[in-house]
Amino acid sequence: AGAPATVRPRAWLDIDINDTRAAYQRAVDFVEAKNLAYSLTSNRLEELGGSEKKRIKEQLYPNDYEWSQKGRLCMKMPPERLTFELFPDESPLAVQNFLSLVTGHKGVGAGGRPLHYKGCHFHRVVPGFIIQGGDILMNNGSGGESVFGKPFKDDKAGLKVKMEGRGQLAMGNSGKNSNTSQFFITLSDAKPVQNLTGKHVVFGRLVEGEQVLQFMEQCAAKEGDTEKPIFSVVIADCG
């Protein structure tokens, strides 16, 4: 028998779109604070029935002047998690960098910001092409920092992985050997995606969370307007 295949590590990102976590927490807090005033059957949101939740969202909350000023409600948390299988054999540097940035264990970088993806935005959403994020310095695509203290070299085998489908995970760069913390996820097998082969290090693929990726893609602005998403798309947690 041949040598056992290397078990590929996994990493996950929990994506908060349009401050949905805060909107859900607002619903939890509203029910806890106002359950007696509105004769709800429980002070815990998850214990309420569908008709009560509908009444809260459509009537009670909008008509409560004090609370309705605080922002929108979300009565049920949508799926949030993207799970990636990583390719350490092909792209050891990119994988080491990514795993360190999802755990945040390297502390604060030279740029004065935590070397951690938590709280980082996806600044670019182009339907049918890519979703890009990971600028831990500026949060807008103009910066980035690796855990190695400087931009790191392209993993040669990672450059050879074909870009040919949805859900591939690759490093963003500004030319050869310029990798920092920015990364992108492919959204199709279209020609523009295929043309990225050899220019960016592929270091993983999406294995769970296609619905979340769809939610993210739906945040794109109208074609030609801007590549910045119309709602905030944030890494709320990662590991």
Side-chain angles (χ1 to χ4, degrees):
T6 306
V7 176
R8 287 174 164 173
R10 291 191 173 197
W12 54 269
L13 307 174
D14 282 347
I15 308 301
D16 185 19
I17 296 174
N18 194 21
D19 295 321
T20 294
R21 282 191 171 194
Y24 179 74
Q25 187 58 49
R26 205 171 290 126
V28 170
D29 295 344
F30 179 75
V31 170
E32 190 175 338
K34 308 291 281 189
N35 70 94
L36 293 176
Y38 292 127
S39 303
L40 301 174
T41 55
S42 173
N43 66 349
R44 294 169 64 86
L45 174 63
E46 68 268 24
E47 293 177 358
L48 299 180
S51 59
E52 279 186 300
K53 288 179 179 177
K54 186 178 179 183
R55 185 167 150 248
I56 290 167
K57 189 173 178 72
E58 294 180 0
Q59 297 174 15
L60 302 183
Y61 187 81
N63 293 327
D64 189 303
Y65 181 78
E66 177 196 355
W67 278 84
S68 60
Q69 305 298 307
K70 298 182 181 186
R72 72 183 184 93
L73 275 197
C74 173
M75 303 303 292
K76 182 183 177 184
M77 280 299 294
E80 297 183 304
R81 183 158 295 188
L82 299 172
T83 303
F84 298 96
E85 180 182 76
L86 306 179
F87 305 160
D89 294 342
E90 296 86 348
S91 306
L93 289 176
V95 168
Q96 184 185 342
N97 185 65
F98 191 79
L99 285 174
S100 296
L101 288 167
V102 295
T103 61
H105 71 273
K106 295 279 189 179
V108 176
R113 299 289 177 89
L115 294 166
H116 200 186
Y117 282 137
K118 186 173 181 176
C120 190
H121 289 238
F122 283 86
H123 59 271
R124 187 181 182 206
V125 180
V126 185
F129 183 47
I130 64 168
I131 291 175
Q132 187 162 342
D135 177 359
I136 59 174
L137 280 185
M138 307 301 292
N139 246 334
N140 60 12
S142 67
E145 184 176 2
S146 81
V147 299
F148 306 116
K150 59 184 179 182
F152 61 94
K153 289 183 177 179
D154 295 330
D155 293 296
K156 286 189 169 60
L159 280 178
K160 292 177 181 175
V161 177
K162 285 187 177 179
M163 304 281 253
E164 56 186 2
R166 186 175 174 89
Q168 289 179 288
L169 181 64
M171 291 301 300
N173 62 40
S174 53
K176 285 185 178 179
N177 302 317
S178 63
N179 303 286
T180 57
S181 55
Q182 287 195 45
F183 64 92
F184 62 88
I185 307 162
T186 59
L187 294 175
S188 75
D189 60 355
K191 193 71 177 168
V193 171
Q194 294 178 26
N195 289 341
L196 298 174
T197 300
K199 298 173 184 171
H200 296 269
V201 172
V202 179
F203 65 96
R205 68 184 182 93
L206 186 72
V207 290
E208 293 173 23
E210 169 57 31
Q211 187 179 8
V212 180
L213 193 62
Q214 289 175 25
F215 291 156
M216 296 167 73
E217 189 172 10
Q218 288 164 7
C219 292
K222 287 179 181 172
E223 194 173 351
D225 279 4
T226 173
E227 293 184 343
K228 184 180 177 181
I230 54 174
F231 299 117
S232 60
V233 182
V234 181
I235 299 171
D237 214 345
C238 47

